[in-house]
Amino acid sequence: MDVAFVLYPRMTALDLVGPYEVLGHQPEVTSHFVAASREPVTTDAGLVVVPTATFAELDRADVIVVPGGGGWAEVLEEGVVAAWLRVAHPTATWTASVCSGSTLLAQADVLDGRPATTHWALRDELAARGAVVATDRVVVDGSVVTGAGVSAGIDLALTLVGLIWGDERARFTQLLIEYDPEPPYRAGSPESAPAELVALARGVFAGR
């Protein structure tokens, strides 16, 4: 099973690495890191990832995972990822996004009229691009699976494992990675965080 992880400059590392750690260790999976070129890609926090294929070299995969990150607006403007998705999505069994990666699916017309989720700060942006925005952490609609912000990529990938190989495999994978979150603070959503922190976070996203 070929799984294509999309890379682009200033993507968020956890959006990629979370799903990769869950999916990449499945024995049936061959992972591909696909980008516009084979030049190393630098994430928004400075991690460097080397692509294994270009969009021209890999035009199909069984599963596609599109991360989000600080560079999503620039990638939308360039349109290269969306152009590849228009080719690769129709033949994929599953197409997935994490965080602002959903905007790239929307640009490729994958989310037109579909329920989908994204980072809380980008819900209006995603709705403006034709999706029916949900606030759930993971949304499954047919062959399209979307995850909310950053850390939800792990939840999304475990959901995919359950859909592809069954709940028992997903539970076993969850146990292996000891995914049993107990965050030290109750501030992981705009509903639970103090209003001043929500305002500060919105300002950070507005400046990206």
Side-chain angles (χ1 to χ4, degrees):
M1 175 176 290
D2 292 307
V3 180
F5 297 91
V6 175
L7 307 183
Y8 57 84
R10 295 183 61 229
M11 54 176 273
T12 295
L14 185 56
D15 285 15
L16 166 72
V17 175
Y20 172 70
E21 283 297 318
V22 172
L23 294 168
H25 287 288
Q26 305 303 324
E28 299 88 348
V29 165
T30 299
S31 297
H32 305 272
F33 300 97
V34 60
S37 76
R38 285 180 176 258
E39 292 298 311
V41 173
T42 303
T43 69
D44 53 11
L47 180 70
V48 177
V49 185
V50 179
T52 59
T54 67
F55 293 138
E57 293 168 338
L58 184 73
D59 63 358
R60 63 175 56 219
D62 299 295
V63 180
I64 297 167
V65 179
V66 182
W72 65 273
E74 292 91 339
V75 177
L76 282 173
E77 186 175 338
E78 293 169 355
V80 176
V81 171
W84 180 78
L85 286 169
R86 290 189 185 98
V87 174
H89 164 67
T91 60
T93 304
W94 299 98
T95 298
S97 68
V98 183
C99 194
S100 58
S102 59
T103 64
L104 304 178
L105 296 192
Q107 187 182 35
D109 305 318
V110 174
L111 298 183
D112 286 354
R114 285 183 181 272
T117 191
T118 190
H119 190 285
W120 59 265
L122 295 173
R123 290 170 185 166
D124 291 344
E125 175 76 30
L126 188 61
R129 294 182 176 277
V132 179
V133 177
T135 60
D136 299 341
R137 194 157 170 84
V138 177
V139 173
V140 180
D141 184 66
S143 65
V144 178
V145 186
T146 52
V150 191
S151 63
I154 297 174
D155 302 67
L156 174 141
L158 286 169
T159 298
L160 280 170
V161 172
L163 290 167
I164 296 168
W165 294 289
D167 293 340
E168 194 68 15
R169 174 83 71 91
R171 292 189 188 98
F172 182 63
T173 301
Q174 182 177 356
L175 175 61
L176 285 179
I177 65 173
E178 198 175 352
Y179 184 57
D180 192 20
E182 293 182 9
Y185 304 103
R186 182 163 170 72
S189 75
E191 291 76 28
S192 61
E196 63 271 19
L197 291 185
V198 175
L200 180 62
R202 287 192 186 278
V204 169
F205 271 88
R208 285 190 171 187

